[in-house]
Amino acid sequence: VRDCIQKTLTEWSSKIGQDQNQETLEVLECSVAQAVEKINPEERDELKVSAKLFIVGSNSSSITDAVDLACSALGVAQLDSVIIAPPPVEDGTNLSLEYLQPYWKELENLVQNKKIVAIGTSDLDKTLLEQLYLWAQVKPSSNQVNLASCCVMPPDLTAFAKECDIQLLTHNDPKELLCEASFQEVLQESIQNVKANKWIPLWLLRYSVIVKSRGIIKSKGYIIQAKRNAS
């Protein structure tokens, strides 16, 4: 992820040169057009577009921004599935249903507005997954389990998922895919005269486009949004 961000920022920065005043930018929007392949509408039915969203800050509205930007970048009207990684909680605080609810409501709104077909979770144990399932209007269709935390799926989680038709998937993503310090370091290395310590990443979305009939990945990439802290 770090390498992808650095390469994109470096190439983007070299193209804009000093045309933009870094001091006046509040949201950093940069892209390398040739690096993103838009989906041909004629091929859309043959492809599955899925994403995993990592929220860095504690703002549930970031979900809508992320999905809108992903759809725009890929040239599609909706994503087939979105999995949300648990947003960061303060030290000493356990992840709870109450904490997840505003994020899940945002996802439900996107399903109802036909921006997403199916929504899923990541790293929820049986208790929390059950609480979310019973509360939610749009039920989670999947739950990812980290391979680093368990070699074998917990039996209680497996039984509940089977009963409620929730697909259990595995992943090996680190708990923190991109920390604020790492992002600022990349920013400092890639763009001249930028006050990197004022920039904070808001979210990171990883997408993949899969050919349904063959099960191969046609394209994949990351989309990240960062904001300049005025203070």
Side-chain angles (χ1 to χ4, degrees):
V1 177
R2 195 181 186 283
D3 290 344
C4 289
I5 294 172
Q6 186 168 31
K7 185 175 181 180
T8 301
L9 286 174
T10 301
E11 189 167 338
W12 175 78
S13 178
S14 66
K15 286 184 177 179
I16 68 161
Q18 300 302 317
D19 294 340
Q20 293 195 41
N21 183 353
Q22 306 293 344
E23 293 298 315
T24 63
L25 290 175
E26 289 186 359
V27 176
L28 190 60
E29 292 183 9
C30 58
S31 63
V32 180
Q34 65 270 26
V36 182
E37 181 183 351
K38 285 191 180 289
I39 293 173
N40 185 335
E42 295 179 1
E43 298 179 349
R44 181 64 182 93
D45 291 343
E46 302 168 12
L47 304 172
K48 179 181 180 181
V49 185
S50 59
K52 184 172 183 179
L53 179 60
F54 302 83
I55 304 292
V56 182
S58 56
N59 184 358
S60 60
S61 64
S62 294
I63 296 174
T64 299
D65 293 340
V67 171
D68 284 345
L69 277 174
C71 287
S72 176
L74 296 172
V76 296
Q78 68 177 186
L79 305 180
D80 294 298
S81 71
V82 173
I83 289 174
I84 184 170
V89 294
E90 295 180 2
D91 291 339
T93 305
N94 292 324
L95 190 63
S96 64
L97 175 63
E98 290 73 23
Y99 188 76
L100 284 174
Q101 282 173 338
Y103 297 94
W104 198 257
K105 284 180 180 176
E106 195 75 19
L107 285 170
E108 289 181 328
N109 287 337
L110 290 166
V111 172
Q112 289 158 5
N113 292 331
K114 300 189 185 305
K115 296 289 287 187
I116 307 174
V117 178
I119 50 180
T121 59
S122 181
D123 300 317
L124 299 193
D125 59 19
K126 186 261 181 182
T127 300
L128 194 49
L129 182 61
E130 183 176 18
Q131 290 175 353
L132 177 65
Y133 184 87
L134 293 174
W135 168 81
Q137 291 184 351
V138 180
K139 308 299 182 184
S141 63
S142 61
N143 180 49
Q144 286 189 335
V145 179
N146 196 325
L147 285 172
S149 63
C150 67
C151 296
V152 180
M153 292 283 186
D156 60 344
L157 179 62
T158 303
F160 177 74
K162 184 177 181 180
E163 178 186 342
C164 298
D165 196 25
I166 299 173
Q167 187 179 16
L168 290 182
L169 307 169
T170 57
H171 76 94
N172 57 0
D173 296 319
K175 190 171 184 180
E176 192 173 40
L177 195 62
L178 179 72
C179 68
E180 188 174 306
S182 181
F183 174 75
Q184 290 173 348
E185 187 178 309
V186 173
L187 197 60
Q188 190 69 56
E189 294 170 358
S190 308
I191 302 179
Q192 292 183 352
N193 305 321
V194 65
K195 294 182 178 178
N197 64 328
K198 289 184 174 292
W199 288 91
I200 54 172
L202 300 178
W203 51 262
L204 175 69
L205 180 142
R206 183 179 63 214
Y207 68 84
S208 60
V209 180
I210 300 170
V211 181
K212 293 178 184 177
S213 59
R214 301 169 65 190
I216 61 171
I217 298 175
K218 180 177 173 66
S219 66
K220 60 182 180 178
Y222 297 95
I223 301 173
I224 181 173
Q225 187 175 66
K227 185 175 182 181
R228 183 172 181 266
N229 193 338
S231 59

